[in-house]
Amino acid sequence: MICLALTGRTLEENYSYVQQYRGSADLFELRVDTLDTIDPSSIIAFSRFVDKPMVLTCRRERDGGRYARTDRTRGTLLVKLLEGNFSFLDIEEDFRKYEIEDQCRKRGIAVIRSIYDTSGTPGDLYSRIDSAHHRGEIPKAEVAARSVEDVITVFNADMQLSHIPRKIIIASGQWGIPTRLLYKRTGSFMTYASPADENAGAPDHASIESMKNLYRCDRVTGKTKIFGVIGNPVMHTASPRIHNPAFHELGIDGIYVPFMVDEVRSFFKLADILGILGFSVTVPHKQHVLPYLGSITREVKQIGSCNTVIWERECWKGINTDYYGFLKPVMDEIEDEHIKRCVVIGAGGAARSVVWALRNHRCSVTIVNRTAEKAQRLARETGSSWVPMEESGSIPEADLLVQTTSLGMEPDTSDALPHYRFTGKERVYELVYKPKVTPLLSRAMEAGCRIIYGRQMLIAQGMLQFESFTSREYPFPDDAVVF
Ligand code: ATR
């Protein structure tokens, strides 16, 4: 079940959420503490008006809520509110009041006993969960995870506490996103979503819309194939919007989840526990994963970085779809030898994939980079030539110019190669995809050059990842949102 927390400041606001999301949420949690005015009779009337099961919660300030009055006042308030049509009461582990428990018993309201610990993952978490269960209550632990190890503790709960049929064990914040999406794998019968925040800059993985329609996390079973992306940061990633809709389109029982990762070694442990079958790798872990791979492709070895890991023949295999994703839009012209002479701007991680891809396909490459030593090093390693940035006005004529630096990426507005004059004959391949047209591309377009956009590579590498995860062709579903 997916529970939507109603955290509006008024009952009217909350009711608008109920109307908007009643098709997606299985139940609602009324957070009485976030209301500006707590009027028991209106709250009771509200509970009777909502035609879905409801959880009653009044969270204290010290537990991260907004209720500032005394425990005694809160106890009296809750006894009164329990006259409403609530299916559950969420109450903290340290708060016991006979009248509340008695009222719940009489009215058939199940008690969710919340275990909080803002200090991280408590060492006695499992025994505290067990005690609540023995009192006939539903234990709920919301762990403040701060590392992959904390997330592992939450996922291990299912193994240790499988005798408790109704429990909720999830982790909060960014680290906790996988536990909220894969709640059934923590043995939880319920997870929590928030209303969609259209103003949020980053994709909101825990919004009700995402949980229900993108991740379809209520459909996850023990058989669901789990994939994901690891990084730090990682929550800005668009990859779940590439892969999840494609699973749905092809009827594949799979889910693709973002994982914040500090220690790659711990993530491999988690991957084992969850039976993860493949994952994308983003900054800063593209090199960190290498020691854990049982096999790597020639490109991964050359480039020294891996962006895709798959479980194949009982071991982890590392591939680099950036390499092939880059080649895809220009491959025909390389094979026809319309592209032979190339210039690459930059000498960092992205440039390594590009230069090796071009060199492996018999193109000549000239590297231009701000730091001359890095250009020189990459040139030596790949058998390319290089020129200092100051001399970029005199770069030899090229069939293809590739821009791999972050120059021109939002919010930056600089031209990556201001002294270069386009002839109009070269193709210009920009790896920056936001904005679609960078200052460099804008000049190239004016000169009449053919343009290859960064999003073409991004989509191509995502498709290749999907194909390596599933052995199926990417179906281009209508609801796949790349940006
Ligand atoms: P990525 O993995 O995206 O390639 P990276 O490995 O950090 O990231 O490489 C960044 C590239 O962008 C480098 O070529 C870097 O030039 P330096 O080698 O001189 O650092 C280039 N770059 C980043 N910011 C730059 C700037 N302000 N001006 C010029 N080049 C820049």
Side-chain angles (χ1 to χ4, degrees), residues 460-478:
Q461 70 79 24
M463 281 168 52
L464 291 166
Q465 277 187 338
F466 185 83
E467 287 166 18
S468 64
F469 290 153
T470 62
S471 307
R472 303 277 298 272
E473 225 170 87
Y474 190 73
F476 285 97
D478 289 342

Side-chain angles (χ1 to χ4, degrees), residues 283 345-351 368-372 374 389 404-407 414:
V283 177
I345 311 168
V368 197
N369 192 48
R370 175 179 62 180
T371 310
K374 277 168 80 179
M389 190 54 97
T404 74
T405 75
S406 50
L407 291 168
S414 41

